[in-house]
Amino acid sequence: MVRRSMDELDRAIMEALSVDARTSNRRLAAQLDVTEGTVRARIKRMEDEGQIHITALTNIDLLRNPTLVYIWIEVERSEQSDSVARQLAAVPEIGFVGKMLGRFDLLAITLVQNNAELADFLHRNVSGVKGVRRTECSLGVKFVKHDYRMSRIVHSEQVSEG
Protein backbone atom coordinates (compact mmCIF):
# COMPACT_ATOMS: atom_id res chain seq x y z
CA MET A 1 0.00 0.00 0.00
CA VAL A 2 1.30 3.45 -0.91
CA ARG A 3 0.58 6.02 1.76
CA ARG A 4 0.50 9.54 0.41
CA SER A 5 1.55 12.52 2.46
CA MET A 6 -1.30 14.76 3.53
CA ASP A 7 -1.81 17.92 1.50
CA GLU A 8 -3.48 21.16 2.59
CA LEU A 9 -6.98 19.87 1.78
CA ASP A 10 -6.41 16.66 3.79
CA ARG A 11 -5.17 18.72 6.75
CA ALA A 12 -8.14 21.09 6.48
CA ILE A 13 -10.57 18.14 6.49
CA MET A 14 -8.77 16.56 9.46
CA GLU A 15 -8.80 19.86 11.37
CA ALA A 16 -12.53 20.33 10.78
CA LEU A 17 -13.28 16.75 11.85
CA SER A 18 -11.15 17.16 15.00
CA VAL A 19 -13.50 19.94 16.09
CA ASP A 20 -16.69 18.03 15.19
CA ALA A 21 -16.39 14.60 13.60
CA ARG A 22 -20.15 14.59 12.92
CA THR A 23 -19.89 17.48 10.46
CA SER A 24 -21.48 16.37 7.21
CA ASN A 25 -19.45 15.91 4.07
CA ARG A 26 -21.75 18.46 2.42
CA ARG A 27 -20.95 21.10 5.04
CA LEU A 28 -17.21 20.35 4.84
CA ALA A 29 -17.33 20.62 1.06
CA ALA A 30 -19.03 24.00 1.26
CA GLN A 31 -16.53 25.28 3.86
CA LEU A 32 -13.56 24.09 1.81
CA ASP A 33 -14.97 25.00 -1.61
CA VAL A 34 -14.72 21.49 -3.05
CA THR A 35 -17.29 18.88 -4.02
CA GLU A 36 -18.92 16.55 -1.51
CA GLY A 37 -17.49 13.58 -3.45
CA THR A 38 -13.98 14.98 -3.01
CA VAL A 39 -14.46 15.22 0.77
CA ARG A 40 -15.93 11.71 0.95
CA ALA A 41 -13.09 10.25 -1.14
CA ARG A 42 -10.41 12.04 0.88
CA ILE A 43 -11.85 10.86 4.20
CA LYS A 44 -12.12 7.29 2.93
CA ARG A 45 -8.54 7.33 1.63
CA MET A 46 -7.16 8.76 4.90
CA GLU A 47 -9.09 6.12 6.89
CA ASP A 48 -7.99 3.28 4.57
CA GLU A 49 -4.35 4.38 4.81
CA GLY A 50 -4.54 4.66 8.61
CA GLN A 51 -3.92 8.41 8.60
CA ILE A 52 -7.11 9.13 10.55
CA HIS A 53 -9.50 7.15 12.69
CA ILE A 54 -12.86 8.69 13.50
CA THR A 55 -14.17 7.69 16.93
CA ALA A 56 -16.10 8.94 19.94
CA LEU A 57 -14.17 10.10 23.01
CA THR A 58 -15.36 10.10 26.59
CA ASN A 59 -15.56 13.57 28.10
CA ILE A 60 -13.85 12.89 31.42
CA ASP A 61 -15.15 16.18 32.81
CA LEU A 62 -18.62 14.57 32.92
CA LEU A 63 -17.63 11.43 34.81
CA ARG A 64 -18.82 11.21 38.41
CA ASN A 65 -15.44 10.87 40.15
CA PRO A 66 -12.81 10.45 37.49
CA THR A 67 -9.34 9.64 38.71
CA LEU A 68 -6.69 9.71 36.03
CA VAL A 69 -4.08 7.10 36.92
CA TYR A 70 -0.50 7.20 35.72
CA ILE A 71 0.94 3.72 36.21
CA TRP A 72 4.73 3.84 36.19
CA ILE A 73 6.16 0.40 35.41
CA GLU A 74 9.60 -1.05 35.95
CA VAL A 75 10.32 -4.22 33.98
CA GLU A 76 12.55 -7.05 35.18
CA ARG A 77 14.87 -6.89 32.15
CA SER A 78 15.06 -4.08 29.59
CA GLU A 79 14.55 -6.50 26.69
CA GLN A 80 11.08 -7.24 28.12
CA SER A 81 9.89 -3.64 27.66
CA ASP A 82 8.38 -4.18 24.20
CA SER A 83 6.57 -7.36 25.22
CA VAL A 84 5.16 -5.82 28.41
CA ALA A 85 4.14 -2.68 26.50
CA ARG A 86 2.26 -4.75 23.87
CA GLN A 87 0.44 -6.73 26.56
CA LEU A 88 -0.60 -3.55 28.38
CA ALA A 89 -1.67 -1.89 25.12
CA ALA A 90 -4.07 -4.81 24.57
CA VAL A 91 -5.96 -3.96 27.79
CA PRO A 92 -9.06 -2.00 26.67
CA GLU A 93 -9.19 0.21 29.79
CA ILE A 94 -5.65 1.51 29.22
CA GLY A 95 -5.70 4.56 26.98
CA PHE A 96 -1.97 5.18 26.68
CA VAL A 97 1.19 3.07 26.87
CA GLY A 98 4.63 4.54 26.26
CA LYS A 99 8.25 3.52 26.66
CA MET A 100 9.98 6.02 28.91
CA LEU A 101 13.47 7.25 29.71
CA GLY A 102 14.27 7.75 33.37
CA ARG A 103 13.37 5.97 36.57
CA PHE A 104 10.66 3.76 35.01
CA ASP A 105 10.60 1.80 31.77
CA LEU A 106 6.93 2.23 30.83
CA LEU A 107 3.98 4.49 31.52
CA ALA A 108 0.36 3.36 31.21
CA ILE A 109 -2.60 5.69 31.72
CA THR A 110 -6.17 4.76 32.63
CA LEU A 111 -9.23 6.17 34.40
CA VAL A 112 -10.83 4.68 37.50
CA GLN A 113 -13.69 5.72 39.78
CA ASN A 114 -12.18 4.84 43.19
CA ASN A 115 -9.27 3.22 45.03
CA ALA A 116 -10.90 -0.20 45.16
CA GLU A 117 -11.34 -0.17 41.38
CA LEU A 118 -7.69 0.91 41.00
CA ALA A 119 -6.40 -1.89 43.24
CA ASP A 120 -8.46 -4.47 41.39
CA PHE A 121 -7.35 -3.09 38.02
CA LEU A 122 -3.66 -3.21 38.99
CA HIS A 123 -3.85 -6.77 40.28
CA ARG A 124 -5.96 -8.03 37.38
CA ASN A 125 -4.29 -6.24 34.47
CA VAL A 126 -0.82 -5.00 35.33
CA SER A 127 0.98 -6.77 38.18
CA GLY A 128 0.49 -10.22 36.67
CA VAL A 129 1.99 -9.34 33.30
CA LYS A 130 5.16 -11.39 32.80
CA GLY A 131 8.15 -9.09 33.08
CA VAL A 132 6.62 -6.44 35.39
CA ARG A 133 8.96 -5.98 38.36
CA ARG A 134 7.06 -3.21 40.14
CA THR A 135 4.58 -0.41 39.64
CA GLU A 136 4.01 2.98 41.15
CA CYS A 137 0.92 5.11 40.63
CA SER A 138 0.36 8.83 40.42
CA LEU A 139 -3.25 10.02 40.58
CA GLY A 140 -4.73 13.00 38.81
CA VAL A 141 -7.45 14.26 41.13
CA LYS A 142 -8.42 17.63 39.65
CA PHE A 143 -8.40 18.46 35.97
CA VAL A 144 -7.36 22.04 35.29
CA LYS A 145 -7.38 21.56 31.52
CA HIS A 146 -8.38 18.61 29.39
CA ASP A 147 -8.24 19.03 25.64
CA TYR A 148 -9.54 15.87 23.97
CA ARG A 149 -7.90 16.98 20.74
CA MET A 150 -4.48 16.32 22.26
CA SER A 151 -4.89 12.71 21.15
CA ARG A 152 -5.34 13.81 17.54
CA ILE A 153 -3.03 12.05 15.12
CA VAL A 154 -0.08 14.10 13.91
CA HIS A 155 1.41 12.97 10.62
CA SER A 156 4.84 13.25 9.11
CA GLU A 157 5.05 14.74 5.68
CA GLN A 158 6.98 11.81 4.25
CA VAL A 159 5.51 9.45 1.70
CA SER A 160 5.94 5.86 2.78
CA GLU A 161 5.53 2.71 0.77
CA GLY A 162 4.61 -0.55 2.37
Side-chain angles (χ1 to χ4, degrees):
M1 170 191 284
V2 175
R3 182 178 294 166
R4 297 181 198 117
S5 63
M6 295 179 71
D7 64 15
E8 289 299 318
L9 180 57
D10 292 334
R11 284 191 285 282
I13 291 168
M14 186 179 75
E15 181 64 29
L17 292 173
S18 75
V19 173
D20 183 0
R22 297 185 317 162
T23 302
S24 71
N25 291 345
R26 180 179 295 169
R27 176 171 283 166
L28 283 174
Q31 290 172 352
L32 300 172
D33 197 30
V34 295
T35 67
E36 185 178 351
T38 297
V39 170
R40 184 174 33 261
R42 293 288 186 113
I43 291 171
K44 180 170 180 3
R45 178 182 50 80
M46 289 187 289
E47 285 180 314
D48 290 348
E49 293 179 359
Q51 292 178 317
I52 64 172
H53 179 79
I54 298 172
T55 187
L57 299 173
T58 301
N59 183 348
I60 63 174
D61 296 328
L62 299 179
L63 296 176
R64 191 175 33 102
N65 291 313
T67 301
L68 186 63
V69 182
Y70 293 82
I71 306 167
W72 301 95
I73 301 152
E74 182 180 325
V75 298
E76 292 172 356
R77 295 186 321 273
S78 60
E79 63 268 10
Q80 293 175 301
S81 291
D82 288 336
S83 172
V84 172
R86 279 192 303 276
Q87 290 175 71
L88 293 172
V91 176
E93 297 89 352
I94 295 178
F96 173 89
V97 176
K99 290 177 69 174
M100 310 303 286
L101 292 175
R103 184 173 176 192
F104 291 93
D105 301 299
L106 302 171
L107 170 62
I109 302 175
T110 191
L111 279 170
V112 298
Q113 293 292 320
N114 55 51
N115 290 340
E117 183 180 330
L118 173 57
D120 180 60
F121 179 81
L122 288 172
H123 293 300
R124 193 172 23 89
N125 296 294
V126 180
S127 299
V129 172
K130 184 176 174 31
V132 171
R133 174 180 286 157
R134 74 181 189 97
T135 64
E136 187 175 303
C137 293
S138 301
L139 306 178
V141 293
K142 182 173 180 174
F143 304 114
V144 177
K145 178 180 181 180
H146 173 247
D147 186 346
Y148 65 91
R149 293 174 301 165
M150 134 179 157
S151 61
R152 186 173 71 199
I153 298 173
V154 178
H155 295 84
S156 90
E157 292 302 311
Q158 297 177 356
V159 176
S160 62
E161 296 180 26

